[in-house]
Amino acid sequence: MKETLGEDIIKSAVKKGCDAVEVFIKSARGISVEAKNGKVEALEASRDFGIAIKVIKNHRLGFSFATSPDGIEKIIDEALQGAEWTSEDEFVCIPDYVPSGDVSIFDENINKLQEEDIIKDAILLEKSALDFDGRIKKVRKAEVGAGVGNTTIINSKGLNVTYESSYYSASVSTLAQDSSGDSQMGWDYASSRRMSDVDIKSVGKEASTRAVELLGSRKISSVKLPLILSPSVAVDFLEILSSSLSSE
């Protein structure tokens, strides 16, 4: 269905005078569950659909998108109207078709998950965090999510690719408190395309470990010395720098 829809869009856009056309179509579904006190605190399920169209006419680029397959002609017209207001670029183009290998970004086990499976893992996540140490007094948020998607990319240069993707994630925040009344927060998060890469119990234990390790901590005077960063903190620094490495 998606391939037929994409091909119809390209044919219609070419008839309207486009020199090149690219269509991106994606559908996805997902579910997330938050546990509290051994029960379901919140459950959200979603289904999404989107179409994005990129057109090139007279070396001008236009773009439009929609969340429904209805009214395709209108979407094409909006992309063409947008192209009228962009600057002419002699180098603007869409990619040629290049054969590609398989990439492991889809896990059939995630596709088979039922609502009850996600609920069970969310409750296990909370329990793993609470059971780690007696000083863990509360779990603020224990959430597990999963989803799958289907993407099709078609263009007027012969590219026609469809692939499936998936994700599975777990996150939790914990509160630790000692006998002196000092309290500290800890958290952990894990996400992967494959369910087997996410260890629910380890995520809960790691969040509690971080909270307990901070108990009794204090500020130190300014000093210059070698520093070892935890992976999560290192990622935060890299995120600041990552935009300078992007070609966008």
Side-chain angles (χ1 to χ4, degrees):
M1 177 183 175
K2 287 185 179 180
E3 293 184 5
T4 302
L5 176 60
E7 292 168 354
D8 290 343
I9 293 173
I10 290 175
K11 290 178 182 179
S12 180
V14 170
K15 287 182 179 179
K16 292 177 182 287
C18 293
D19 301 314
V21 189
E22 186 168 82
V23 181
F24 179 97
I25 306 173
K26 182 169 184 176
S27 59
R29 60 179 176 84
I31 182 173
S32 65
V33 175
E34 182 180 340
K36 185 175 182 180
N37 299 325
K39 298 179 181 179
V40 176
E41 174 72 6
L43 187 153
E44 294 183 5
S46 63
R47 285 187 177 273
D48 301 302
F49 180 84
I51 304 174
I53 303 173
K54 179 167 66 176
V55 302
I56 298 174
K57 185 176 181 180
N58 298 327
H59 299 290
R60 297 176 185 270
L61 179 65
F63 176 82
S64 182
F65 72 95
T67 56
S68 169
D70 300 327
I72 293 302
E73 295 300 322
K74 180 182 179 182
I75 303 172
I76 297 172
D77 291 339
E78 289 175 349
L80 285 168
Q81 290 171 10
E84 295 176 0
W85 294 93
T86 60
S87 301
E88 186 174 329
D89 183 355
E90 63 176 304
F91 298 107
V92 69
C93 64
I94 60 174
D96 294 314
Y97 170 70
V98 177
S100 59
D102 293 331
V103 180
S104 181
I105 59 174
F106 178 73
D107 184 352
E108 182 60 34
N109 292 321
I110 297 177
N111 189 41
K112 294 178 180 179
L113 283 174
Q114 300 296 315
E115 180 180 297
E116 293 76 13
D117 299 321
I118 306 297
I119 292 174
K120 179 180 177 181
D121 282 350
I123 293 174
L124 175 62
L125 177 62
E126 181 192 38
K127 185 177 186 302
S128 299
L130 287 171
D131 291 348
F132 175 75
D133 192 290
R135 290 169 290 181
I136 299 298
K137 303 302 181 182
K138 185 182 295 185
V139 171
R140 291 285 179 87
K141 189 173 186 179
E143 184 174 1
V144 174
V148 294
N150 184 284
T151 303
T152 297
I153 304 174
I154 303 177
N155 70 27
S156 54
K157 286 192 174 181
L159 176 67
N160 190 335
V161 176
T162 297
Y163 62 90
E164 293 181 296
S165 59
S166 61
Y167 74 88
Y168 190 80
S169 65
S171 62
V172 61
S173 298
T174 59
L175 174 68
Q177 188 174 43
D178 60 19
S179 57
S180 68
D182 181 30
S183 60
Q184 298 289 343
M185 294 291 297
W187 68 274
D188 195 30
Y189 171 83
S191 179
S192 176
R193 298 287 191 177
R194 293 166 293 279
M195 186 175 173
S196 59
D197 292 341
V198 180
D199 188 328
I200 295 295
K201 291 183 178 181
S202 293
V203 174
K205 291 179 180 179
E206 181 62 24
S208 294
T209 298
R210 291 178 178 178
V212 170
E213 287 177 344
L214 289 173
L215 290 173
S217 60
R218 59 183 177 82
K219 292 183 179 180
I220 63 174
S221 302
S222 298
V223 62
K224 185 176 181 179
L225 44 71
L227 180 65
I228 299 176
L229 299 175
S230 69
S232 59
V233 175
V235 167
D236 287 339
F237 277 104
L238 290 174
E239 187 176 3
I240 297 173
L241 300 173
S242 62
S243 59
S244 63
L245 304 176
S246 173
S247 62
E248 291 294 329

